[in-house]
Amino acid sequence: MSMLSNKAPIGLLGVGHYLPHQCISNEHFVDRGLDTTPDWIETRSGIQQRHIANKDELTSDLSVKAAQMALETAGISIEDIDFIIVATASPDHSGFPSTACIVQKKLNGKRHIPCFDITAACSGFTYGLSIAYGYIQSGIGTHGLVIGAECLSRLVDWSDRRSAILFGDGAGAAVVGPVNSGGILAFDQGADGHASDILKCELSENIEDFSQRVRAGFTPTIHMDGRAVFKKGVEIVSKSIETLLTQSKLTADDISFFVCHQANVRILESVAKRVGVPIDRFLTNIDRVGNTSAASIPIVLSEFSKQSKFTPGDRVCLVGFGAGFTWSSIILEWSNYYESN
């Protein structure tokens, strides 16, 4: 856990998100012939629908649309950005180049700034925010673009009801830079590699894709021990929130909103009960977008900020958790986007 320095505060200057136009309800899985019902899916996960990228949309395309909204909200151009970080488990290319470099190209950025991807699964966006904070504090840059983006629909076997029902596609982005007040106050992050087997991508043979075609050969596919992930998620998220509150000398009552990775609404309900916080202070959109991994936290931030849910001075606790097993939590004091522009 880290308490941050007393230099000029660093926060979010603007946020944005993008969800593919194609949206499928729980009925879709019944129509596919899976042994399930819409109520069964919603009861166990809280999900009613999710968005699916079309065959021509790449993770970089989703990233660019979210980034454009964030830049517009922040009131700055791509030429003001000093580095780009993309958190994703579903990059455009397996290996290289990084999706961040492709985003730079598609945004028509002319400066030769650092661009790189990070892989921390569902903790990726908050990991990215901590890296951006370090870059700016060390003088490497003044403004960073941090994106969480996923096309998880390409990593599931659509004949497997255990995983296919959970995941969706989308992207969220934030412009990070100096603010007049508030900003990032503290963070807690880590990983437990001993739990790396409970949620992972492995090569699977002859899986069914979204178009109901069987892919020949081997394809990277999500494999999950649902019970173990649930137990680990509740344990890690509760502990991380408590650690942040203790080290920052705050109480749960000092936090206006909790924005956790949208994995399963039952995890959030269990965490809320453990930390003694009403569930309505946990902002959720899992019912409408499903599990979008690294994209989930910035999508929530963007959606609710567009609804004027946040006001300057609100303390927001961000909690990412997922495969690895990783976690990354941040206490952020919301700033007026335009104070520093």
Side-chain angles (χ1 to χ4, degrees):
M1 192 274 175
S2 298
M3 292 298 295
L4 305 184
S5 78
N6 294 321
K7 292 183 180 180
I10 296 167
L12 306 187
L13 300 178
V15 290
H17 71 283
Y18 174 75
L19 294 167
H21 297 302
Q22 182 175 207
C23 183
I24 62 171
S25 70
N26 292 341
E27 292 283 356
H28 174 87
F29 300 97
V30 178
D31 295 340
R32 292 183 78 104
L34 271 63
D35 181 18
T36 189
T37 66
D39 287 344
W40 187 91
I41 296 171
E42 184 176 357
T43 299
R44 284 156 180 79
S45 66
I47 300 170
Q48 298 176 14
Q49 63 183 38
R50 71 286 293 148
H51 294 257
I52 306 296
N54 68 46
K55 63 180 181 180
D56 297 321
E57 284 184 308
L58 302 175
T59 299
S60 61
D61 296 318
L62 277 56
S63 299
V64 166
K65 291 177 180 178
Q68 288 170 332
M69 182 186 289
L71 289 167
E72 181 179 356
T73 304
I76 66 176
S77 78
I78 185 60
E79 300 309 323
D80 297 311
I81 295 296
D82 299 308
F83 56 89
I84 299 173
I85 302 170
V86 174
T88 184
S90 50
D92 285 13
H93 296 275
S94 177
F96 47 82
S98 73
T99 301
C101 286
I102 299 170
V103 168
Q104 180 195 35
K105 174 184 176 182
K106 291 182 177 180
L107 287 172
N108 200 29
K110 303 299 185 184
R111 297 172 59 214
H112 296 164
I113 60 175
C115 300
F116 57 93
D117 294 355
I118 59 172
T119 303
C122 309
S123 306
F125 178 76
T126 40
Y127 262 80
L129 287 184
S130 70
I131 295 169
Y133 180 94
Y135 262 45
I136 295 170
Q137 282 285 71
S138 64
I140 293 176
T142 302
H143 298 99
L145 180 59
V146 180
I147 302 168
E150 303 287 7
C151 285
L152 295 177
S153 61
R154 291 162 192 166
L155 295 179
V156 298
D157 180 352
W158 283 85
S159 67
D160 180 6
R161 73 168 186 174
R162 295 170 298 177
S163 59
I165 63 173
L166 300 175
F167 299 101
D169 302 334
V175 175
V176 184
V179 292
N180 288 344
S181 61
I184 296 173
L185 304 180
F187 63 85
D188 173 62
Q189 61 186 197
D192 179 6
H194 296 286
S196 58
D197 285 341
I198 65 177
L199 179 55
K200 57 188 176 181
C201 269
E202 287 189 322
L203 292 177
S204 299
E205 191 172 13
N206 299 325
I207 71 162
E208 183 180 298
D209 66 16
F210 179 69
S211 300
Q212 295 186 287
R213 293 175 297 189
V214 175
R215 295 178 185 171
F218 291 88
T219 304
T221 309
I222 295 172
H223 293 265
M224 177 174 61
D225 180 340
R227 290 184 179 180
V229 170
F230 186 98
K231 181 179 179 180
K232 191 73 172 177
V234 172
E235 172 193 340
I236 288 297
V237 174
S238 303
K239 183 177 179 180
S240 189
I241 290 173
E242 290 166 358
T243 299
L244 274 177
L245 293 175
T246 299
Q247 295 297 330
S248 57
K249 298 181 180 179
L250 297 172
T251 69
D253 290 336
D254 295 318
I255 305 299
S256 305
F257 301 103
F258 294 82
V259 178
C260 297
H261 164 54
Q262 307 288 294
N264 185 310
V265 73
R266 291 168 59 212
I267 291 178
L268 303 184
E269 290 169 347
S270 296
V271 170
K273 185 175 181 179
R274 280 201 180 193
V275 298
V277 173
I279 189 61
D280 60 4
R281 280 166 58 196
F282 280 71
L283 302 183
T284 62
N285 65 359
I286 191 171
D287 58 320
R288 294 178 287 103
V289 304
N291 182 339
T292 57
S293 190
S296 69
I297 289 175
I299 292 174
V300 171
L301 287 175
S302 179
E303 285 189 335
F304 282 93
S305 70
K306 300 299 181 287
Q307 299 171 20
S308 300
K309 189 76 172 180
F310 307 119
T311 58
D314 282 347
R315 293 192 184 101
V316 184
C317 183
L318 315 179
V319 188
F321 62 97
F325 201 90
T326 62
W327 65 92
S328 178
S329 305
I330 290 173
I331 292 180
L332 170 75
E333 185 175 312
W334 200 256
S335 307
N336 188 320
Y337 288 154
Y338 304 100
E339 283 182 339
S340 300
N341 295 342

